[in-house]
């Protein structure tokens, strides 16, 4: 309850299993809610009210009265009544109308209300239209319907009929997202419901029908999955509140109007592309990381005497290597496995707009002073994405002031006539399992990133779940891929020492993959040794010339095509330390993927390097 209040919610539902196991009485819960300034909006669920067994139904009415006693102590007047999934459920509408009418009379006499909900697996009533038709025919002011997005959308039902239900007869709204899965709907419901913005349901369309119906009650969340109850309550509540704000913002945009109680977020600021990276390396890994960057065409151009930072530049790109080991991981007692990506710098002419927007969604963001600069010169706003990695929104002026603050020039060399790499193509981040959905929601809500179809990628410790998100900016595309290793959590060592092959990497884009590989080789890069069997397979699957295949094999270049003219060439460095590596890519013909089909080949070569 404290987490719910702190997150910004107005009220909450009391879930009966939580109350039954709680050491606090209903009256104590009501007092705590009042002290926190939140309301108890619903008690749920009341299961299996209707019954074809008259004796059982009469006993259910007695049980109903006892729940009214409890609700009076809670200070709550609304009870969720689910349609019955039992074999003894009423299967005649006339009998069901009579039984719900009798229950509604009991509620009216006690100053209570009943919200009737169709369970997707109900024996007789399993659609919202059927539930509403029963409620309509009962015609009692004490009986309305409750709409649950999961029960409606999981069946593939058309939610447009919601607009035909008078808003005042929708007593309650429960929302949940979910990934598209093919499985028993009950198991899907119990294990895979997530917050809006974390799944694949069209909740924006669903929410627009709710708004059009005239419903003016709470927008609530009913979530069941295997992770959220294990997570810290504060973080879970913050993610939950953010998910409703995210949904309401998109519903308002979809409808073209903002009406109560919809949330209107501050507008996003301008954004361009990724221009800088900070990699925490420590004193041991800094030299090895520097060599890899030199291979990629970066040169060590300056250093910071006070903060132990080394500046590597190439064209407009900058990579800072942090030779110190400080609080890279925020979890107490968790060791730092280095090198690791600590900061992603993104160009924005108005970072303060992003700070305002982030705060509106409950995301911690702050203006920061970069090492060696003064506050007036700054234009940097920092948001934490993972426990280890932050995203910095930087103005052009702040970047110039920051680079000018590097006061040592230990070595300068002649850069290549043309940059080897020209942009950051994408970044892959290792994400703990219990943070996955929250990070996904942050990127979608604050930045409006679009998720793409997830992938299961073979990794050295099994299967890694990978999810790419993109943001088209007008200056290119920002791509971030989240990689989750089963069993990894934010409360354990985030990068186990036994890990090999890596799940975090930085991919740079180039205009000419063969030219880039050749120049990198001239700078000392040794390509990964890719199996000859791979190139034999490419020759069988694609119409690539013998000469091109020979050059690709020489430089360890991998290939994919999307079937619509898009092509993808890419190659990798060995892993630096235990987890981080680099990739160089060339996209042709609008290819939008990441060459996931080559992951096993990449991994095998890295393990042998």
């Amino acid at each position: 309850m404290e987490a719910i209040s702190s997150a910004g919610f107005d009220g909450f539902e009391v879930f009966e299993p939580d109350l039954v196991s709680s050491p606090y009485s209903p009256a104590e819960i009501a007092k705590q809610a009042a002290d926190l300034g939140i309301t108890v909006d619903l008690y749920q669920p009341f299961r299996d009210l209707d019954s074809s067994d008259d004796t059982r139904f009469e006993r259910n009415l007695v049980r109903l009265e006892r729940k009214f006693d409890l609700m009076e102590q809670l200070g709550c007047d609304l009870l969720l009544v689910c349609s019955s999934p039992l074999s003894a459920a009423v299967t005649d509408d006339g009998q069901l109308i009579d039984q719900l009418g009798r229950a509604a009379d009991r509620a009216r006499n006690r100053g209570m209300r009943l919200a009737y909900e169709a369970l997707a697996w109900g024996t007789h009533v399993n659609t919202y239209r059927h539930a509403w038709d029963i409620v309509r025919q009962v015609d009692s002011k004490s009986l309305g319907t409750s709409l649950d997005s999961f029960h409606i959308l999981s069946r593939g039902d058309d939610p447009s009929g919601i607009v035909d239900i008078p808003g005042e007869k929708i007593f309650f709204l429960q929302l949940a997202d979910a990934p598209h899965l093919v499985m028993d709907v009950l198991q899907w419901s119990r294990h895979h419901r997530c917050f809006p913005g974390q799944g694949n349901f069209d909740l924006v369309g669903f929410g627009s029908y709710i708004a059009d119906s005239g419903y003016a009650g709470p927008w609530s969340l009913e979530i069941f999955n295997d992770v959220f109850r294990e997570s810290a309550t504060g973080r879970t509540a913050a993610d939950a509140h953010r998910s409703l704000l995210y949904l309401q913002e998109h519903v308002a945009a979809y409808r073209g109007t903002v009406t109560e109680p919809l949330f209107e977020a501050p507008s996003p600021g301008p954004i361009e592309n990724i221009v800088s990276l900070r990699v925490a390396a420590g004193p041991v890994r800094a030299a090895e990381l520097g060599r890899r960057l030199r291979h990629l065409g970066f040169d060590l151009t300056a250093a910071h005497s006070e903060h132990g930072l080394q500046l590597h530049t190439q064209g407009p790109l900058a990579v800072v290597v942090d030779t110190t080991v400080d609080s890279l991981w925020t979890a107490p007692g968790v060791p730092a496995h280095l090198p690791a990506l600590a900061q992603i710098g993104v160009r924005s002419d108005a970072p303060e707009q992003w700070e305002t927007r982030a705060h509106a969604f409950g995301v911690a963001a702050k203006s920061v002073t970069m090492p060696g600069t003064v506050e007036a010169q700054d234009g940097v706003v920092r948001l934490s994405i993972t426990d280890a990695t932050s995203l910095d929104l930087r103005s052009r002026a702040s970047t110039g002031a920051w680079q000018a603050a590097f006061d040592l020039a230990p070595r300068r060399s002649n850069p290549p006539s043309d940059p080897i790499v020209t942009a950051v193509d994408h970044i892959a981040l290792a994400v703990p399992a219990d943070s996955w959905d929250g990070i996904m929601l942050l990127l979608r809500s604050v930045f409006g990133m679009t998720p793409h179809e997830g992938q299961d990628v073979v990794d050295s410790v099994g299967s890694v779940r990978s999810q790419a998100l993109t943001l088209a900016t007008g200056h290119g595309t920002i791509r971030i891929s989240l990689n989750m290793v089963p069993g990894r959590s934010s409360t354990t060592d985030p990068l186990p020492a036994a890990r090999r092959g890596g799940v975090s990497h930085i991919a740079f884009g180039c205009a000419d993959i063969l030219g880039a590989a050749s120049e990198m080789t001239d700078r000392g890069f040794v390509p990964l040794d890719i199996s000859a069997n791979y190139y034999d397979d490419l020759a069988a699957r694609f119409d690539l010339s013998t000469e091109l295949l020979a050059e690709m094999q020489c430089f360890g270049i991998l290939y994919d095509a999307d079937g619509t003219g898009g092509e993808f060439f890419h190659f990798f460095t060995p892993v630096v330390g235990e987890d981080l590596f680099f990739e160089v890519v060339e996209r042709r013909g609008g290819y939008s993927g990441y060459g996931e089909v080559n992951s096993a080949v990449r991994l095998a070569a890295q393990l042998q390097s």
Side-chain angles (χ1 to χ4, degrees):
M1 290 168 63
E2 290 174 353
I4 289 168
S5 175
S6 296
F9 284 97
D10 301 306
F12 65 104
E13 306 175 28
V14 172
F15 185 49
E16 185 165 81
D18 291 337
L19 178 68
V20 169
S21 61
S22 172
Y24 304 107
S25 70
E28 289 173 325
I29 292 173
K31 182 180 183 305
Q32 176 73 352
D35 290 344
L36 290 169
I38 52 178
T39 54
V40 181
D41 294 320
L42 181 77
Y43 186 74
Q44 66 110 344
F46 191 92
R47 301 185 188 279
D48 312 320
L49 171 62
D50 62 275
S51 178
S52 57
D53 182 334
D54 291 340
T55 300
R56 169 55 59 185
F57 176 66
E58 293 298 332
R59 181 66 188 84
N60 289 343
L61 291 179
V62 174
R63 178 163 59 96
L64 184 65
E65 292 284 356
R66 299 291 75 78
K67 297 307 175 184
F68 290 156
D69 294 340
L70 183 154
M71 290 167 62
E72 285 179 343
Q73 297 176 62
L74 280 173
C76 172
D77 73 342
L78 185 60
L79 175 67
L80 180 72
V81 177
C82 301
S83 65
S84 176
L86 301 181
S87 58
V90 170
T91 56
D92 175 75
D93 278 6
Q95 185 181 9
L96 181 58
I97 290 166
D98 176 69
Q99 290 191 0
L100 281 179
R102 291 177 62 187
D105 289 342
R106 298 276 185 124
R108 184 188 66 245
N109 294 337
R110 296 290 297 272
M112 300 292 176
R113 297 177 300 145
L114 306 178
Y116 186 54
E117 174 187 68
L119 294 181
W121 50 88
T123 300
H124 180 57
V125 176
N126 47 42
T127 69
Y128 78 95
R129 286 183 174 87
H130 195 177
W132 161 237
D133 190 52
I134 298 296
V135 168
R136 180 185 59 80
Q137 294 187 69
V138 171
D139 192 22
S140 168
K141 291 183 178 180
S142 296
L143 179 68
T145 190
S146 176
L147 299 177
D148 184 309
S149 64
F150 182 85
H151 290 299
I152 295 171
L153 299 179
S154 65
R155 295 179 58 89
D157 206 347
D158 178 5
S160 64
I162 290 172
V163 299
D164 298 325
I165 305 175
E168 66 273 11
K169 294 301 290 184
I170 302 174
F171 279 6
F172 209 72
L173 170 67
Q174 292 178 319
L175 296 161
D177 208 338
H180 288 312
L181 297 171
V182 179
M183 64 186 306
D184 175 77
V185 69
L186 178 58
Q187 295 303 310
W188 191 12
S189 171
R190 295 286 169 83
H191 297 283
H192 297 283
R193 291 203 215 187
C194 53
F195 296 132
Q198 296 176 337
N200 302 113
F201 282 171
D202 179 15
L203 289 185
V204 174
F206 182 88
S208 70
Y209 293 127
I210 293 293
D212 289 341
S213 74
Y215 173 73
W219 289 47
S220 187
L221 295 161
E222 187 179 53
I223 307 300
F224 301 102
N225 60 56
D226 298 335
V227 175
F228 87 105
R229 279 183 176 263
E230 300 174 4
S231 303
T233 54
R235 184 173 64 194
T236 298
D239 285 346
H241 191 256
R242 185 175 306 128
S243 75
L244 285 181
L245 300 181
Y246 164 81
L247 175 59
Q248 290 195 353
E249 180 191 33
H250 282 262
V251 168
Y254 182 86
R255 298 175 74 230
T257 59
V258 178
T259 57
E260 292 293 340
L262 299 184
F263 164 76
E264 184 176 14
S267 299
I271 194 167
E272 296 184 15
N273 46 29
I274 298 173
V275 293
S276 66
L277 303 165
R278 175 172 168 250
V279 182
V284 176
R285 296 295 185 187
E288 182 183 3
L289 183 61
R291 286 195 298 274
R292 292 281 179 248
L293 290 171
R294 175 164 172 73
H295 295 161
L296 287 159
F298 289 88
D299 282 307
L300 178 61
T301 53
H304 203 294
S305 59
E306 182 181 354
H307 297 280
L309 305 178
Q310 298 174 349
L311 178 64
H312 301 253
T313 59
Q314 178 175 190
L317 298 176
V319 179
V320 172
V321 175
D322 188 344
T323 63
T324 65
V325 181
D326 47 21
S327 56
L328 176 61
W329 305 108
T330 57
V334 176
H337 289 258
L338 305 174
L341 182 61
Q343 290 168 6
I344 304 169
V346 179
R347 176 87 70 225
S348 172
D349 288 337
E352 67 282 353
Q353 284 185 241
W354 289 104
E355 183 176 13
T356 301
R357 180 173 171 83
H359 288 163
F361 280 101
V363 174
K366 61 181 181 179
S367 297
V368 295
T369 301
M370 302 306 294
T373 65
V374 296
E375 187 172 358
Q377 294 175 305
D378 283 345
V380 183
V381 170
R382 178 168 297 164
L383 297 80
S384 292
I385 301 178
T386 71
D387 288 340
T389 307
S390 66
L391 190 149
D392 288 2
L393 294 147
R394 293 181 173 173
S395 68
R396 214 169 299 274
S398 72
T399 301
W402 168 62
Q403 292 195 13
F406 284 79
D407 55 347
L408 298 179
R411 175 173 58 82
R412 293 185 180 275
S413 61
N414 295 323
S417 55
D418 294 311
I420 295 176
V421 298
T422 57
V424 176
D425 183 84
H426 64 274
I427 290 172
L429 299 175
V431 175
D434 56 353
S435 300
W436 173 274
D437 287 334
I439 294 169
M440 176 85 65
L441 179 59
L442 185 156
L443 293 173
R444 292 185 69 174
S445 61
V446 177
F447 295 101
M449 298 193 79
T450 300
H452 299 272
E453 193 68 28
Q455 300 281 338
D456 290 326
V457 179
V458 176
D459 183 82
S460 57
V461 294
S463 177
V464 174
R465 179 184 175 191
S466 182
Q467 176 73 66
L469 299 100
T470 61
L471 176 64
T473 68
H475 296 265
T477 301
I478 296 174
R479 303 179 183 89
I480 295 179
S481 179
L482 306 180
N483 293 335
M484 178 176 66
V485 181
R488 178 182 295 183
S489 77
S490 59
T491 57
T492 61
D493 185 342
L495 298 173
R499 161 145 224 93
R500 290 296 182 270
V503 291
S504 300
H505 74 271
I506 299 164
F508 293 103
C510 72
D512 175 9
I513 194 78
L514 293 172
S518 177
E519 286 198 61
M520 285 180 59
T521 302
D522 291 343
R523 293 171 74 94
F525 174 65
V526 178
L528 291 178
D529 185 12
I530 304 297
S531 168
N533 298 330
Y534 172 78
Y535 296 98
D536 290 341
D537 183 63
L538 283 186
R541 291 191 297 127
F542 298 105
D543 185 21
L544 299 175
S545 70
T546 303
E547 294 77 10
L548 176 58
L549 285 170
E551 284 191 274
M552 290 169 59
Q553 184 171 3
C554 177
F555 294 121
I557 297 172
L558 310 180
Y559 177 82
D560 188 32
D562 60 15
T564 62
E567 295 181 291
F568 190 65
F569 298 82
H570 58 148
F571 64 91
F572 301 87
T573 71
V575 177
V576 182
E578 295 172 354
D579 197 65
L580 183 69
F581 59 94
F582 298 97
E583 179 183 7
V584 178
V585 314
E586 181 190 351
R587 298 177 183 271
R588 297 180 185 175
Y591 182 95
S592 60
Y594 299 86
E596 298 92 342
V597 68
N598 295 320
S599 294
V601 176
R602 181 269 302 172
L603 176 65
Q606 286 178 327
L607 292 175
Q608 297 171 37
S609 64

